[in-house]
Every structure is written in C-alpha cells, then in structure tokens.
Amino acid sequence: MPETTNSDNGVQIDLISGSRMAGLRSMEKIRLILDGVREGNIVILEEGLSPDEESKLIEVTMTEISPDDFSGIEIESYPRAETADQSFLDKLMGRESTKKLTVIGPANQIETLHKDEQLISALVSRK
Amino acid sequence: MMGLLTNLRDSISRVTDRLFASEEPKRIGIYGPPNAGKTTLANRIARDWTGDAIGPESHVPHETRRARRKEDVSIERNGKSVSIDIVDTPGVTTKVDYKEFLDHDMEKDDAIRRSREATEGVAEAMHWLREDVDGVIYVLDSSTDPFTQVNTMLIGIIESRELPVLIFANKTDLEDSDVQRVADAFPDHETVPLSALEGNNMDEVYDKIAEYFG
Ligand SMILES: Nc1nc2c(ncn2[C@@H]2O[C@H](COP(=O)(O)OP(=O)(O)OP(=O)(O)O)[C@@H](O)[C@H]2O)c(=O)[nH]1
Ligand SMILES: [Mg+2]
C-alpha cells in the first residue's frame, strides 16, 4: 500500500480492489485488512472474504485485541447475489463464492455502522 | 517403546472409532452472539437428560469464556435414544472492550482479565467451528434484531461447512420477542421458538435435536 501519513485530523479510507485481493492468500488478506484497521483506517473491499476467511478474520482479530490499544473491528457487507456468475471451474474446484463490498473499521472509532438493503453508512470519529 | 505402544493404541482406537462411527455421539456446538442464552439452554438440556449443569449463566456478556462440553447426553424421543455431545461456546463477536465490563461493577483488573479470556474463548470457538463440530444450534435472543453482521457471517460459515444447523429463537417469554423476524432473517433454515429460561416449548426443541442430529 502506498505510504500515506495519517494526519491527526483525518480518516484514511483504503479501497482495495478485487484483483488486488485475488492475488493474496487468506492470511495475507487478513493481514492487509487488520494492518489498515489497526492504523485507524476504514478498509473497503470491493470483493469481500469467503466464509472461511471471515472466520479467520474473527479469530485473528480476537487474538490481537489488547486493552487501551485495539478493541476489535466493525464489519458490514452485502451478500453476493445468488445468481452471481460462479464459474464452472470455481464450482469444480470447490472455491467458495465470496461476498461483495465489505466495510471494515476499528470498533473504537466507528460510532455506528448501519446497513439497509442498499446502503452501508458509517459514522466515524477521528482518533 | 512407549511411543510405539501409544501409536499402536491410537491407530487401533481410530479403526474402532471408524467401525462404530455411526454410534459415535455427534458433537453439537451451541453458537450465537453474547447473552443469547446459550448456557441457559445448554444447562437445561444437560439437566433434563443427565441431571447436572454445564456452566454459569449471567446477564453480563461473555460469561462463558471457554468452550465447555458435556459428553454423551442421551435424549429419548419416540422410544429411540439419541446421543450427542453438547459444546457450549463463548458468544461470538468482532469486538471486545474491557471498559464495557466496568459498567457491570467490575474492577479494572477484573474487566481486563474478563476481556482477555473472552477474546481467547471466541478465537477458540471460531477454530472449533472450522474443525471440530458436527452440527450447530444457533441461539438468538428473539427480542433483538437478528440482522447483524455477526449472525450473517456465522451462518455463512456454518453453511459453507455444510453443517446441519437449527436456529433457536430464544427468550420467547419476553414481550419484545419476535420469532417471525428471526425466521425471516434465516429463511433457509428451520427456526424453533423457545424460552430456555422458562422451559417453554422444550418438547419441540428435543424433537428437532433428535431429527437433525440423531
Ligand atoms: N427472559 C429470558 N431470559 C433468558 C432466557 N434465556 C437466557 N436468559 C437470560 O439471558 C442472560 C444470558 O444468559 P446466558 O445463558 O448466560 O447467555 P449466553 O448466551 O451463554 O451468554 P455468553 O456466555 O456471555 O455468550 C441471563 O441473564 C439469562 O438468565 C430466556 O429464555 N428468557
Ligand atoms: Mg454462556
């Protein structure tokens, strides 16, 4: 990720493309997300995580929580439509279909993360 | 030499395990968000069929911070006996802030310890879900909004592992309970209403457990 210095009064938003994520292994994706979130950034994934990766994200988040430093994440996402074009090869290889558009941020900075059918809205406080 | 013997014994027991696989009790994980009533349910099931409880219940979230197991719980249904291992797990969440426990009259040290144990417990419960359970009872407080990201993610994880799952809409004794809202949130799964605290609708609960996990 290009180095942008987080000034005191801003909130950095990282929008990570699906193709960027596609080249990464599960743990690399989780590292990328948590490194961003732990710096106070809002991370938006164009293509979300697989169920297995989500479960690992929860697990790794838990192991990193520490008092007065990191209290975990807020996360919201839209499920991929059932009709999503999962290729024949994907099915054959048992690749899990992922979710689309996922917003992840530091729990202590996100005051509300609200979702309805068409909108995810985050109220973010500065650090 | 000892190592060899244990290895031998392990491999023999693995063979016998496989031979009797159909009679091995299934390991049923009780999952859900904090405070849903998982331990209350686990205790009721254990008390009804074994006579003793599994662990402490509390209105303070993250009361259960270590998965607790009760093995070989035999549930009698229609003249048949269904044997399951019940695993009561810590409530799953994506965040734990020790400061929330301070509101429950806890000293800072205790609150920090509780939050550390809670995070370890949730991590362990997630790991178990990927490796170690044969079926899931997903418990929700039916008086609260079921459309949360944690619920969606967990049900997604359970589905992707193709585990049999029952949704338990708990706390039907509360005025705000809305079982239909729970059923609407998870239309692909069967929802069973109950009050684990009052013991309401436990007959259907045991029917469904026998049907899904027997
Ligand atoms: N009204 C009502 N309260 C219930 C019911 N089941 C559980 N409770 C209460 O809800 C609170 C939480 O119950 P627990 O069984 O400890 O919940 P849990 O899901 O195990 O919670 P954690 O271990 O913290 O994840 C306690 O105060 C229980 O008495 C119910 O059916 N009705
Ligand atoms: Mg509990």
Side-chain angles (χ1 to χ4, degrees):
Chain A
M1 195 136 301
E3 267 318 308
T4 39
T5 37
N6 230 347
S7 62
D8 284 346
N9 50 8
V11 174
Q12 181 178 328
I13 296 174
D14 297 335
L15 186 82
I16 305 177
S17 72
S19 55
R20 170 77 197 266
M21 289 296 259
L24 300 178
R25 292 168 177 275
S26 292
M27 283 313 289
E28 293 172 327
K29 295 181 192 173
I30 288 165
R31 215 38 286 154
L32 181 64
I33 295 166
L34 284 180
D35 285 348
V37 169
R38 294 203 55 176
E39 278 177 19
N41 305 342
I42 305 297
V43 177
I44 300 177
L45 309 178
E46 182 191 23
E47 296 259 358
L49 302 170
S50 72
D52 215 57
E53 288 163 349
E54 285 182 341
S55 107
K56 286 180 187 139
L57 175 66
I58 298 176
E59 188 175 337
V60 177
T61 298
M62 286 298 126
T63 63
E64 299 199 357
I65 288 177
S66 73
D68 298 319
D69 174 33
F70 178 55
S71 62
I73 60 172
E74 292 281 2
I75 174 168
E76 280 291 356
S77 67
Y78 289 119
R80 177 189 283 275
E82 285 298 331
T83 49
D85 46 348
Q86 198 188 12
S87 76
F88 174 71
L89 194 64
D90 281 349
K91 280 189 193 129
L92 199 70
M93 306 284 288
R95 269 178 219 147
E96 294 158 289
S97 74
T98 52
K99 293 182 175 167
K100 64 177 177 185
L101 200 64
T102 301
V103 181
I104 306 156
N108 66 334
Q109 268 168 271
I110 295 200
E111 279 161 26
T112 57
L113 189 53
H114 175 78
K115 180 175 85 164
D116 66 23
E117 270 93 86
Q118 285 112 25
L119 180 80
I120 296 176
S121 132
L123 180 60
V124 184
S125 68
R126 296 176 182 130
K127 263 196 276 201
Chain B
M1 188 58 197
M2 280 306 284
L4 196 69
L5 273 181
T6 18
N7 279 347
L8 191 64
R9 199 176 53 217
D10 284 354
S11 56
I12 289 174
S13 76
R14 229 172 292 135
V15 170
T16 47
D17 277 359
R18 225 170 291 140
L19 278 176
F20 297 107
S22 59
E23 290 168 30
E24 278 284 295
K26 296 230 172 63
R27 192 170 298 166
I28 307 306
I30 302 184
Y31 282 84
N35 226 32
K38 298 176 294 298
T39 304
T40 308
L41 171 71
N43 282 340
R44 183 167 288 279
I45 299 174
R47 277 203 204 93
D48 280 355
W49 302 100
T50 72
D52 40 37
I54 287 192
E57 309 157 10
S58 164
H59 68 284
V60 185
H62 299 295
E63 180 62 23
T64 309
R65 298 183 294 284
R66 255 284 105 92
R68 289 179 187 237
R69 199 184 323 180
K70 186 91 200 163
E71 295 189 325
D72 240 333
V73 179
S74 291
I75 297 176
E76 310 281 339
R77 285 286 102 173
N78 309 320
K80 263 184 28 190
S81 172
V82 173
S83 212
I84 55 171
D85 293 347
I86 297 173
V87 187
D88 177 29
T89 69
V92 174
T93 176
T94 60
K95 55 181 177 183
V96 178
D97 188 348
Y98 77 90
K99 292 187 205 80
E100 278 168 33
F101 301 133
L102 298 177
D103 303 336
H104 292 276
D105 258 350
M106 225 174 274
E107 295 295 327
K108 186 173 174 187
D109 284 357
D110 292 333
I112 288 177
R113 186 172 333 109
R114 190 181 180 92
S115 82
R116 188 177 322 110
E117 290 171 358
T119 57
E120 285 169 8
V122 175
E124 184 187 55
M126 294 313 297
H127 203 84
W128 277 50
L129 187 54
R130 291 202 306 272
E131 320 257 295
D132 243 355
V133 296
D134 305 312
V136 174
I137 292 174
Y138 198 80
V139 182
L140 288 164
D141 176 343
S142 62
S143 72
T144 63
D145 180 10
F147 293 94
T148 67
Q149 184 70 11
V150 162
N151 290 339
T152 311
M153 285 195 294
L154 275 173
I155 295 295
I157 293 161
I158 292 160
E159 285 171 348
S160 76
R161 308 220 72 87
E162 296 181 3
L163 294 168
V165 57
L166 278 169
I167 312 278
F168 278 16
N170 190 32
K171 309 199 185 184
T172 53
D173 57 293
L174 295 178
E175 208 180 314
D176 292 339
S177 163
D178 188 343
V179 175
Q180 193 54 48
R181 185 172 55 172
V182 176
D184 290 344
F186 308 102
D188 296 337
H189 303 285
E190 187 148 2
T191 297
V192 184
L194 77 152
S195 166
L197 189 66
E198 306 285 334
N200 299 338
N201 204 34
M202 293 308 290
D203 268 333
E204 190 188 355
V205 163
Y206 294 130
D207 283 344
K208 291 296 173 197
I209 289 177
E211 183 186 330
Y212 272 69
F213 310 123

